[in-house]
Amino acid sequence: DEYIVVFSRSTTRLILNEAELILALAQEFQMRVVTVSLEEQSFLGIVQAISGASMLVSMHGAQLVTSLFLPRGAAVVELFPYAVNPEQYTPYKTLASLPGMDLQYVSWRNTIEENTVSHPDRPWDQGGIAHLEKDEQERILASEDVPRHLCCRNPEWLFRIYQDTLVDIPSFLDILKEGLKTRPTLKKSKPASTVHPGRVREPQCQTSVQATNEAKLTVSWQIPWNLKYLKVR
C-alpha cells in the first residue's frame, strides 16, 4: 500500500489549498495521501508514517528534517513561498543527497505574488515588519527575491518565509513530474542494513614521564550516544 505524506501546518506557512493539493497528488500518482501535523500528532506517529511513505511534501521548515526517516527511493518535495529562492536554502536538498540516503529531491517555488498571503502585523519573529521604518517596509513589500543574508533574524527573510501560499497546481505537477527521475515506489527501495556507532565523545589524551627511559600515554573517551541501542561491544 504505497502512499504520500503531506505535512500540514495549522498556524504559519499554510498551504491555503491543501485539500486541492492532496487530491491532485492522489490523482496524479494513484496513491493514498495522508497528512501529518507536529501540532496534533506525536513525533513517534509522524516518524512511523514517514518511514513507509513513497513521497514527503512540505513547505520549507524544520519539520523536513524528518525526511531522514524516508525509505530509500522515496521523494522529498519542498515548497517555497513567494520571493524565496530554493537555491539559497538547501539543507534538505543536501540531506537527501547524502551517501546512503538515496532520496529524490524536488523543489517548487511560488512565483505568483497574488497566490500569497503575508502577515506584516505579526510579531517580528513570525514575519511581522510593522516595527520597521516605513521606507524599509515598502522596500520589503516591493522585493521579488530575498537577498542573501545572515541567519536567522533578517526581517525580509522572516516576512517572506512566514507567508501562506496558494499552490499553483499545474506548475507544481509539471515541476514534480519533470524533477522525479522515476515514479516514487517502495517496491524499489532497500532499507538500510547497518547502523553504525556514532563518534566517541570527549576524547582525552594524557602523557606522563614514568622514568628516564619510560613514558606513559593514556587515551580515554565517552562512548557514542547510540551505542547502548546497538548489539555491539
Side-chain angles (χ1 to χ4, degrees):
D1 181 21
E2 299 183 50
Y3 61 92
I4 296 169
V5 169
V6 173
F7 248 112
S8 180
R9 302 176 66 104
S10 61
T11 54
T12 61
R13 308 184 201 182
L14 304 180
I15 300 174
L16 296 172
N17 55 338
E18 184 178 289
E20 184 183 359
L21 178 69
I22 289 172
L23 181 60
L25 286 167
Q27 292 177 337
E28 178 65 33
F29 294 97
Q30 294 298 298
M31 290 188 197
R32 183 166 57 95
V33 180
V34 300
T35 60
V36 295
S37 169
L38 288 172
E39 294 94 345
E40 299 176 3
Q41 293 170 252
S42 69
F43 185 68
L44 175 59
I46 291 173
V47 169
Q48 288 175 333
I50 290 174
S51 64
S54 296
M55 183 188 300
L56 175 62
V57 180
S58 173
M59 294 298 297
H60 173 81
Q63 71 279 357
L64 268 170
V65 76
T66 57
S67 60
L68 65 88
F69 297 108
L70 284 166
R72 291 179 174 180
V76 182
V77 184
E78 186 173 11
L79 312 179
F80 287 86
Y82 178 77
V84 179
N85 186 348
E87 295 303 316
Q88 296 185 22
Y89 309 95
T90 60
Y92 310 113
K93 179 180 181 179
T94 302
L95 176 61
S97 65
L98 290 176
M101 292 299 290
D102 297 328
L103 298 175
Q104 302 184 71
Y105 175 87
V106 178
S107 66
W108 174 87
R109 174 184 183 180
N110 177 27
T111 59
I112 305 173
E113 188 172 10
E114 291 75 19
N115 286 356
T116 291
V117 176
S118 56
H119 302 277
D121 296 324
R122 281 181 175 170
W124 71 268
D125 58 349
Q126 296 180 23
I129 57 174
H131 63 290
L132 301 175
E133 296 291 338
K134 188 171 181 60
D135 289 349
E136 180 66 1
Q137 292 185 42
E138 292 175 352
R139 184 195 67 79
I140 290 175
L141 290 170
S143 174
E144 298 179 355
D145 205 346
V146 177
R148 291 187 180 276
H149 58 87
L150 295 176
C151 185
C152 295
R153 292 172 174 263
N154 180 280
E156 185 169 351
W157 151 252
L158 291 170
F159 173 72
R160 290 302 186 185
I161 200 60
Y162 276 106
Q163 295 172 128
D164 301 330
T165 302
L166 184 77
V167 176
D168 180 63
I169 300 299
S171 71
F172 170 75
L173 291 178
D174 286 345
I175 288 176
L176 193 53
K177 287 183 286 186
E178 182 181 348
L180 294 178
K181 302 181 187 70
T182 58
R183 182 178 181 273
T185 173
L186 286 179
K187 296 176 183 178
K188 296 181 181 179
S189 67
K190 297 180 181 179
S193 58
T194 305
V195 177
H196 299 283
R199 293 182 178 182
V200 299
R201 300 170 295 163
E202 302 176 22
Q204 295 182 349
C205 181
Q206 295 179 320
T207 59
S208 60
V209 177
Q210 304 298 309
T212 305
N213 296 318
E214 183 182 355
K216 185 178 182 181
L217 173 67
T218 303
V219 179
S220 63
W221 62 88
Q222 297 293 319
I223 66 171
W225 69 271
N226 64 341
L227 196 64
K228 60 184 178 181
Y229 302 108
L230 306 177
K231 295 180 180 179
V232 296
R233 294 185 63 185

